[in-house]
């Protein structure tokens, strides 16, 4: 179980015009290849990393991995990227369920994207990271006369990582070899099999170092990200403190109000009374987040005397709290919630609540946990007079 990662590093970097493989070059003191690998080493579910290299770079890269204390296997690549990835796949441990394929030449991939790709592949089997193209694209003939203009809103530029169920990607590569399919990315081979590929939104910062100006752009991006650099996640985490927050909220159950919890409208004859939508679960969560970041509480940020907030969805507040945290350079770690309600039964709603909260906090659902409990008829919750919610969170600052 878990995932294997194939890092394609066996190119020659011809378009960069130096007489060495571009992925060996340093960016702010750290080799491009090291940055690309380190983006994956923090995840406990990454069980194996295969770096596919050229024969002539083998020893150099072996030394580099030792120097940077990276545990990875090396495999020898082939003439085309596709051949190199095939060699990587052949070298993978057979028991892994998922396979990430990533270009060594994309050292700036953000950790959130990798986590999101892993979460999505559980559902879709084939996931590519991509961004909408910004330029209008022209299709040309050999003499560079325009033969067509595909509609831009439907064009996405594919990046890496791309991640697949291991059975699927092995099948695609086997067929490609047998039928001489050629492709410059891995999703293409899965598409040729007739299997649907899901794209998730990557970032424009996840550039592929290809030509000389990309080095300057990468330097600028690294400078800008200062402190939130993906190059060394362990170091990143070390340099940050993990902060814990707690939140609690209670609202009274009344007639003629919808019952909204975790951004979901529940089927119940009473609803929670309050100025906004009175979503006690989201309020508890927001208080926990603000508390962890040392930012006070929701009353301070969203006073219930403000007419702008009347009847508003608390999910909007949660998005704003997340934004505030992100602006401070903080990232949400995980969240655990308890909702205390004698009635209605919440079990059928918690999956949707998780989806809502994950989206608002921009973290994978896997980092959110929601529990529901009754109080055996005791107290105001037990008598059905109100609903209470508790939340604890971690925040990396
Ligand atoms: N790659 C590979 N094996 C090859 C060719 C490319 O593993 N035979 C890898 C590169 O090392 C790179 C990624 O695939 O990390 C994307 O390829 P590209 O950006 O084209 O890199 P190069 O082929 O090295 O560059 P160029 O095309 O300019 O020579
Ligand atoms: Mg190439």
């Amino acid at each position: 179980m878990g995932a294997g990662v194939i890092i394609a590093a066996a190119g020659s970097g011809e378009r960069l015009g130096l007489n060495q493989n571009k992925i060996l070059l340093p960016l702010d003191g750290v080799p491009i290849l090291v940055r690309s690998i380190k983006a994956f080493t923090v995840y406990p579910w990454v069980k194996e990393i295969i770096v596919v290299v050229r024969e002539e770079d083998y020893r150099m890269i072996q030394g580099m991995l030792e120097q940077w204390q990276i545990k990875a296997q090396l495999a020898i690549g082939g003439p085309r990227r596709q051949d190199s990835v095939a060699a990587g796949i052949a070298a993978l441990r057979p028991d892994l369920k998922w396979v990430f394929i990533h270009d060594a030449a994309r050292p700036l991939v953000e950790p959130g994207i990798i986590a999101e790709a892993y979460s999505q592949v559980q559902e879709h089997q084939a996931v590519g990271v991509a961004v909408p193209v910004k330029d209008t694209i022209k299709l040309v003939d050999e003499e560079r006369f325009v033969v067509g203009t595909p509609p831009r809103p439907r064009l996405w530029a594919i990046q890496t990582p791309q991640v697949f169920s291991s059975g699927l990607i092995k099948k695609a590569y086997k067929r490609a070899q047998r039928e001489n399919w050629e492709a410059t990315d891995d999703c293409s081979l899965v598409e040729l099999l007739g299997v649907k590929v899901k794209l998730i939104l990557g970032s424009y910062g996840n550039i592929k170092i290809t030509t000389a100006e990309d080095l300057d752009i990468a330097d600028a991006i690294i400078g800008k990200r200062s402190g939130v650099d993906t190059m060394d996640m362990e170091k990143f985490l070390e340099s940050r403190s993990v902060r814990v927050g707690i939140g609690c909220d209670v609202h009274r159950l009344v007639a003629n109000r919808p019952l909204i919890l975790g951004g979901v409208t529940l089927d119940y004859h009473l609803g929670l009374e309050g100025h906004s939508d009175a979503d006690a679960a989201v309020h508890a969560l927001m208080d926990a987040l603000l508390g962890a970041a040392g930012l006070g509480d929701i009353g301070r940020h969203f006073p219930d005397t403000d007419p702008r907030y009347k009847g508003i969805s608390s999910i909007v507040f949660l998005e704003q709290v997340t934004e505030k945290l992100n602006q401070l350079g903080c990232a949400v770690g995980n969240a655990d919630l308890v909702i205390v309600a004698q009635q209605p039964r919440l079990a059928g709603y918690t999956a949707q609540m998780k989806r809502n909260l994950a989206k608002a906090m921009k973290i994978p659902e896997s980092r959110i946990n929601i529990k529901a409990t009754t109080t055996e008829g005791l107290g105001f919750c037990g008598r059905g007079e109100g609903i209470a919610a508790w939340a604890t969170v971690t925040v990396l600052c």
Side-chain angles (χ1 to χ4, degrees), residues 8-15 22-23 78-81 84 103-105 208:
S12 53
E14 223 171 272
R15 283 171 286 175
K22 62 189 180 188
I23 54 115
R80 300 169 304 171
R81 180 186 181 282
S84 300
D103 287 336
K208 180 157 73 72

Side-chain angles (χ1 to χ4, degrees), residues 121-351:
V121 78
Q122 320 281 325
E123 192 178 334
H124 298 293
Q125 314 302 310
V127 170
V129 169
V131 286
V133 300
K134 298 186 204 175
D135 298 317
T136 295
I137 305 288
K138 297 289 180 190
L139 201 62
V140 296
D141 63 15
E142 281 93 67
E143 279 122 43
R144 209 186 290 153
F145 284 106
V146 174
V147 295
T149 308
R152 193 175 60 193
R154 297 199 45 197
L155 293 177
W156 283 62
I158 190 86
Q159 306 177 334
T160 67
Q162 300 180 2
V163 53
F164 310 93
S165 80
S166 65
L168 178 61
I169 196 66
K170 281 176 187 163
K171 192 169 155 195
Y173 267 87
K174 215 178 244 165
R175 271 288 282 284
Q177 197 184 22
R178 212 169 59 215
E179 303 190 21
N180 285 323
W181 290 343
E182 284 222 36
T184 50
D185 83 314
D186 313 290
C187 286
S188 300
L189 298 179
V190 170
E191 291 159 48
L192 285 168
L193 274 186
V195 174
K196 273 195 161 181
V197 173
K198 173 74 178 174
L199 295 189
I200 61 166
L201 181 63
S203 93
Y204 291 109
N206 181 19
I207 61 169
K208 180 157 73 72
I209 306 294
T210 307
T211 52
E213 58 273 23
D214 294 328
L215 293 172
D216 295 334
I217 296 170
D219 275 334
I221 294 173
I222 290 169
K224 194 114 197 242
R225 284 183 187 172
S226 58
V228 194
D229 189 352
T230 58
M231 133 213 149
D232 193 334
M233 270 305 281
E234 283 105 333
K235 215 179 231 161
F236 167 69
L237 288 171
E238 259 170 34
S239 68
R240 301 223 151 189
S241 48
V242 178
R243 304 178 58 134
V244 177
I246 182 169
C248 172
D249 193 36
V250 173
H251 283 273
R252 186 187 296 275
L253 279 165
V254 294
N256 302 319
R257 285 273 297 180
L259 175 57
I260 298 171
L261 287 169
V264 178
T265 306
L266 287 80
D267 186 17
Y268 194 52
H269 67 287
L270 302 174
L272 294 173
E273 186 178 45
H275 184 64
S276 64
D277 63 357
D279 187 330
V282 173
H283 292 180
L285 180 57
M286 289 196 296
D287 254 357
L289 290 169
L290 290 167
L295 291 177
D297 61 20
I298 40 176
R300 196 168 114 192
H301 294 269
F302 309 102
D304 61 9
T305 47
D306 191 328
R308 280 181 305 165
Y309 301 141
K310 195 167 159 45
I312 199 170
S313 163
S314 297
I315 292 286
V316 175
F317 294 153
L318 181 59
E319 284 166 3
Q320 289 176 16
V321 166
T322 305
E323 187 68 38
K324 279 181 210 280
L325 257 59
N326 293 160
Q327 276 166 7
L328 284 177
C330 298
V332 181
N334 72 304
D336 190 18
L337 281 83
V338 183
I339 303 174
V340 188
Q342 194 65 34
Q343 272 191 339
R345 270 189 64 78
L346 303 180
Y349 298 105
T350 50

Side-chain angles (χ1 to χ4, degrees), residues 53-97:
V53 304
R54 294 190 300 178
E55 213 147 8
E56 59 255 61
D57 296 331
Y58 191 98
R59 290 192 61 149
M60 165 85 149
I61 289 176
Q62 202 173 34
M64 191 178 267
L65 297 186
E66 263 165 43
Q67 187 197 335
W68 289 89
Q69 298 179 349
I70 293 172
K71 254 180 64 190
Q73 314 296 316
L74 294 186
I76 300 289
R80 300 169 304 171
R81 180 186 181 282
Q82 184 177 339
D83 305 314
S84 300
V85 174
I89 291 174
L92 273 176
R93 249 167 61 179
D95 60 323
L96 300 169
K97 185 149 187 226

Side-chain angles (χ1 to χ4, degrees), residues 14-27:
E14 223 171 272
R15 283 171 286 175
L16 203 74
L18 299 174
N19 54 6
Q20 66 166 336
N21 190 352
K22 62 189 180 188
I23 54 115
L24 303 172
L25 297 173
L27 280 178

